[in-house]
Amino acid sequence: MTKSKLRFGLFAAFIIFIVLLAAVPGGTTALAGESRLQLTYDDGAIGYVKEGTEVKRTVYVNGDLYPDLSYITYDVVTSTSSDIMYQTLQKSEGGATGDNLTTEKNDVLVRKKDLKSTGLAGKKAYSFDVKYDRCCAFIFTVYYDTGEETDVPNYDSEILYLDNVDGQAPAVTIKEINPFLKSVTCTFSDVSSVCASSGVKSYTVYKKDMDTGIKTEIYTSKDGEINRNTASFTIPSDPGHYNYYVTATDKVGNTSAEKLVATYDVDELIRVADNAFNTIDSSSEYWSEAFKTKLNNAYNEYTLKRNGINGEVSEEEKHAAAEKLSAVLEEYNGYKSDMLNGRRNVEFSTDNAETLSSGLNVDNLYKACAFVKFGEKGIVLTGVYKSDYSDTRKEELSQSGLERATSVYVFSMHVFVTEQGNCDRAFSVPLELSFSVGPYKQIAAVQIVSKGEESSTVPCHVKEYTNGNLVLSVPNTTGLVYLFVEEEQPKKDNKWLYLLFLLIIPVASGTACLILYQKRKKLLRSNGNGRKKIDNQ
C-alpha cells in the first residue's frame, strides 16, 4: 500500500467518525447548548390584572426538539419578601434555589401528547399553556429521549416570569395637615416587593359620624388629580363629632385600608377658630407667622385637652385651654377689625420735633405702613434737624432742582417691625409728613437712599399750602430727606418812620392853616383899602 492511499484512508475514517458522532444522540454535554432544547414564550404586551385573576401564558416548543422530546415539567415559584422579578434564580435539578422562595407547584407534568401544533415551523411549532393568579416564576425542565433507559433533563430554558399581577393595595402616608386650610396632603405608594405595581388611580375621603356610626363618602379624586403620587384635599369642619379617613385604589382595583387623617369634635369655639383659619388663609400674606403659630398652638392644645387625646385631662386644664384659645381669638378679632378699617399696629414717633414751630404730624401712617402684618408691631421714628445752608449740601441742592437755599431741614427715617426687623424698603405709599416752615420764596426736597456702598437720590413731592404749611412725601423707610428752603428777605422795621409820620401830620397841618390865615388876612386888607378910595370919590 502506498503512502498516499494510507493518508486517504485515515482521512476518510476520521470523517466517518465525526459524522457518526454527530448522528448519535449521545450525552447531555453534547446537546446542552443547542437552541432546539430551549423553550420560548409569547412576548406580547400584557396589561396588569388583580391578584386572583388567572393569567395564561403560552410556551413554545421547537419543532426540531419534538421528535426527541419525552416530556416537560415545570415548577411554580413565588417570593414572600423580595421581588420575584428581580431575584437571581438558580436553576438546578428538581427546581430552583434562591432567597425567600416558595415553591407553589412542583414538577407539573406536560406530556408530549399534550402539546398543540401551531401550524408554524421552527421555534414556535408546538405550544402549551401555563396559568397562575399571582406573580410567580415558571422554571422549566425539558426531558428528551436518548435511547437509554433514563430520559435526560435539560435546564437551559429561560425562566418565564408572570409579572403583571398586582396583589397589593397602595400605601397611604399623611405628609402634612394644615389647620389654616383645613387641608391634608397625602402621599401614595404602590411599589411592592412581592408583586407587580399597576400604579395609584384614585383616592377617596370618608366622613364618619362618631355618634351615629354612619360613614359617608365625601370625595373621590378624578383622573390626573394625583401628581407624582401626592395629592391634597380639604376637610370640612361641620359641627359635630367626626373622623375623616382616606383610602387609595390602584389601577386594578386593590383598595387600601382606611387611614385616619383627622378627628373633629366641633363646638362653638372650634367653629370660630376654623373661620379664623379660613380668613387668615385667604389673605395669608397680611398675617404674621408668629400669630399663625400662636393661634395654631392654642387651637391644638384646646382640641387635644378637650378630647383627652393624650390621656385623662382635668376640667381645670380644659377650661384653661379654652380661655387661652378665646384670648387668641379675641386678639384675632381686633386684627380683623383693623383689616376692615385699614389700620395697622404701628406708631409714629419724632425726635427733636420742636425744631419745627408747628410740630411734625403724619397724615397716612396706616396706608404707608400696610406692609406691617397683623400680629406684628411697627414703629416709625423720624428725627428733625435744621441748619443754615452751606456748600457741603451743594450736590443734594442740585438734585432737588433749586439753585439757591438759605436753610436746610434734614429728616432721618427709621422703621422697625417686630417680625421683619429693621425695614429697608419703600413705604406702601409715600409717607406724608405735615408741618410748617414759615414764609419762604421757594422750596424742594430729595431723599438719599443707600444700598450697600451705592446711594441714589429720590425726589420727594412737596404739597404747598398757605402760610408756609407743607406736606412732605417720603418714599422710603430709610435714608435722609433734605428739604431746601429759600426764605423771603425780612422786611425793615418802620416803627420810627411811623412815629415820624405821626409828628409830621399835625405840624404840617398847623403850618398849612397858618399860611392860609396869613393869605386871607392880606386879602382882607387889600379889599378894605379899595372901598375907602371909592367912598372918598
Side-chain angles (χ1 to χ4, degrees), residues 59-128:
V59 182
Y60 295 103
V61 179
N62 195 321
D64 295 337
L65 170 63
Y66 188 79
D68 297 329
L69 179 68
S70 291
Y71 59 92
I72 300 170
T73 64
Y74 65 86
D75 295 342
V76 180
V77 179
T78 61
S79 175
T80 57
S81 62
S82 60
D83 196 330
I84 190 70
M85 275 71 76
Y86 297 99
Q87 191 170 168
T88 302
L89 299 181
Q90 300 172 353
K91 293 170 288 185
S92 63
E93 184 176 357
T97 60
D99 297 332
N100 305 306
L101 295 179
T102 300
T103 301
E104 303 288 342
K105 295 181 179 181
N106 186 30
D107 287 339
V108 179
L109 177 63
V110 180
R111 293 170 296 186
K112 186 174 182 178
K113 66 177 183 178
D114 296 329
L115 301 180
K116 296 177 291 186
S117 175
T118 64
L120 303 173
K123 293 182 179 181
K124 293 186 176 183
Y126 297 90
S127 70
F128 64 95

Side-chain angles (χ1 to χ4, degrees), residues 414-428:
H414 181 74
V415 178
F416 177 82
V417 181
T418 50
E419 194 167 303
Q420 301 176 46
N422 294 318
C423 295
D424 184 5
R425 52 163 296 159
F427 283 108
S428 299

Side-chain angles (χ1 to χ4, degrees), residues 296-514:
N296 189 35
N297 290 344
Y299 179 87
N300 288 338
E301 182 180 349
Y302 174 70
T303 54
L304 289 174
K305 290 187 176 180
R306 180 179 183 274
N307 299 323
I309 293 177
N310 292 334
E312 188 174 346
V313 180
S314 67
E315 290 300 321
E316 290 78 9
E317 289 178 301
K318 293 180 182 179
H319 182 69
E323 285 190 337
K324 183 176 180 180
L325 179 56
S326 297
V328 178
L329 290 173
E330 186 175 350
E331 183 180 352
Y332 158 78
N333 287 330
Y335 294 140
K336 186 177 178 181
S337 176
D338 288 345
M339 176 184 286
L340 294 174
N341 292 283
R343 295 191 297 261
R344 291 292 190 277
N345 187 10
V346 60
E347 297 178 358
F348 179 69
S349 179
T350 60
D351 183 23
N352 205 31
E354 61 272 12
T355 301
L356 300 165
S357 60
S358 61
L360 183 62
N361 298 300
V362 61
D363 294 341
N364 64 339
L365 181 61
Y366 298 140
K367 287 185 178 180
C369 296
F371 56 85
V372 177
K373 299 180 180 181
F374 299 110
E376 292 182 318
K377 182 176 181 180
I379 183 169
V380 178
L381 179 61
T382 303
V384 186
Y385 311 94
K386 180 185 179 183
S387 64
D388 293 335
Y389 173 76
S390 67
D391 286 342
T392 56
R393 299 299 174 205
K394 181 167 58 176
E395 184 177 348
E396 290 85 353
L397 177 66
S398 174
Q399 294 289 339
S400 74
L402 294 186
E403 296 181 356
R404 293 179 301 276
T406 56
S407 58
V408 182
Y409 291 84
V410 182
F411 298 83
S412 62
M413 302 302 302
H414 181 74
V415 178
F416 177 82
V417 181
T418 50
E419 194 167 303
Q420 301 176 46
N422 294 318
C423 295
D424 184 5
R425 52 163 296 159
F427 283 108
S428 299
V429 296
L431 184 70
E432 295 182 348
L433 302 177
S434 60
F435 53 92
S436 175
V437 295
Y440 60 86
K441 185 176 181 180
Q442 56 180 350
I443 196 167
V446 293
Q447 185 176 25
I448 307 301
V449 179
S450 298
K451 297 290 184 181
E453 296 181 356
E454 298 181 358
S455 61
S456 59
T457 303
V458 181
C460 297
H461 180 64
V462 181
K463 295 179 183 178
E464 302 180 56
Y465 298 94
T466 59
N467 300 323
N469 295 316
L470 308 172
V471 174
L472 173 64
S473 296
V474 180
N476 295 286
T477 60
T478 60
L480 298 176
V481 178
Y482 294 94
L483 178 67
F484 296 98
V485 180
E486 183 181 1
E487 298 172 346
E488 291 183 346
Q489 293 299 320
K491 296 180 180 180
K492 295 182 179 180
D493 193 349
N494 295 324
K495 65 181 182 178
W496 296 112
L497 183 61
Y498 177 68
L499 292 174
L500 181 61
F501 179 72
L502 292 178
L503 291 174
I504 289 174
I505 289 175
V507 172
S509 299
T511 303
C513 291
L514 182 59

Side-chain angles (χ1 to χ4, degrees), residues 160-174:
L160 170 61
Y161 293 105
L162 191 62
D163 56 3
N164 66 319
V165 181
D166 188 346
Q168 184 167 303
V172 181
T173 303
I174 308 302

